[in-house]
Amino acid sequence: MADYGFDALSVHVLVNLHDPESVVGVKAVAEWAADQDQIVRVWPFLREPINTAAEVPKGTPDFEAYKARRGLARRRYKDQERQRNLQRLSLNHLWSFTAAGAVLAHWGLLRLAEHGVSATIVSPFILGMVASNKVLDTVCVQAALTAVMPALASEIRGFDQSVAKAELAERSLWLSDQGVLSAPSMLYQGEVFSGMAHLPRLSALCRP
């Protein structure tokens, strides 16, 4: 069975660059890696959102009103968390990607991880990229990738968006089969840790 480069001796961080929580997670784990002298790789994890509520039959008017209130509360919570995460990143705007820019950015994470680039280097690359523009297209992403790793320029010249998109989907499906449900998450010795709250536990596990 393919392991897609997730060696057991490293901590692997799984992220979705559309989401500020993932960028905050990369920043936190990079600081942790430097403090712990631990090898950490950053990989993309892109999964379509699961909407189980859509499969639930319609209920009584009171029940539907309750569901609407819960949905509104969840959206407010997500908006508040997004704003808090932007504050943690010292940013005053939420970035977005063009479709091609998003594929290139996550494909770039794959290549950086495969080349053994550590989270301590990937984190400044991501932070600089999302701070540079509100809309990140392939020109912005390519400039950021080649700045952090000039050797990627030749690989980017052969970049095929449809092939890269399929590769990202295949890897994310494999990760889902390993038990990864969301980003950010971490993977260490085959065990999945959802969110960044498990860093203290990882410190104990990684201790010689």
Side-chain angles (χ1 to χ4, degrees):
M1 181 178 67
D3 63 7
Y4 288 110
F6 294 96
D7 64 276
L9 297 179
S10 301
V11 174
H12 305 280
V13 185
L14 312 168
V15 300
N16 181 339
L17 297 181
H18 292 284
D19 186 359
E21 185 181 359
S22 280
V23 179
V24 170
V26 172
K27 183 174 183 289
V29 82
E31 293 169 354
W32 173 85
D35 182 63
Q36 299 288 320
D37 193 24
Q38 177 65 40
I39 298 172
V40 178
R41 302 283 182 259
V42 181
W43 304 82
F45 177 70
L46 304 174
R47 177 176 176 169
E48 293 296 324
I50 301 173
N51 185 11
T52 54
E55 302 173 3
V56 179
K58 293 286 185 180
T60 65
D62 285 347
F63 181 64
E64 290 303 307
Y66 164 76
K67 285 168 57 179
R69 290 195 301 272
R70 287 293 303 271
L72 179 60
R74 282 194 297 269
R75 289 191 294 274
R76 284 176 176 167
Y77 170 78
K78 287 183 178 179
D79 288 342
Q80 289 170 351
E81 280 300 295
R82 186 178 296 110
Q83 288 304 315
R84 292 188 188 105
N85 284 326
L86 289 174
Q87 290 170 2
R88 292 183 182 108
L89 296 169
S90 300
L91 295 178
N92 58 13
H93 69 266
L94 179 63
W95 63 90
S96 64
F97 289 93
T98 64
V103 175
L104 181 59
H106 290 97
W107 174 89
L109 285 184
L110 278 181
R111 303 288 84 86
L112 291 174
E114 288 173 345
H115 283 286
V117 179
S118 70
T120 53
I121 294 174
V122 173
S123 177
F125 147 68
I126 294 174
L127 289 171
M129 182 171 60
V130 300
S132 62
N133 284 285
K134 289 187 178 181
V135 179
L136 299 167
D137 57 15
T138 53
V139 174
C140 298
V141 175
Q142 180 174 341
L145 281 170
T146 53
V148 73
M149 188 175 179
L152 278 181
S154 60
E155 294 188 51
I156 291 174
R157 281 195 291 272
F159 174 75
D160 184 308
Q161 182 180 341
S162 60
V163 172
K165 190 173 182 179
E167 181 183 12
L168 290 166
E170 179 183 323
R171 286 170 175 264
S172 295
L173 180 60
W174 181 84
L175 285 165
S176 295
D177 291 342
Q178 311 312 305
V180 180
L181 300 178
S182 61
S185 290
M186 294 177 290
L187 190 65
Y188 180 63
Q189 295 187 343
E191 186 174 356
V192 177
F193 300 84
S194 180
M196 296 295 110
H198 297 285
L199 282 175
R201 173 62 178 156
L202 278 174
S203 297
L205 291 174
C206 296
R207 193 172 296 128

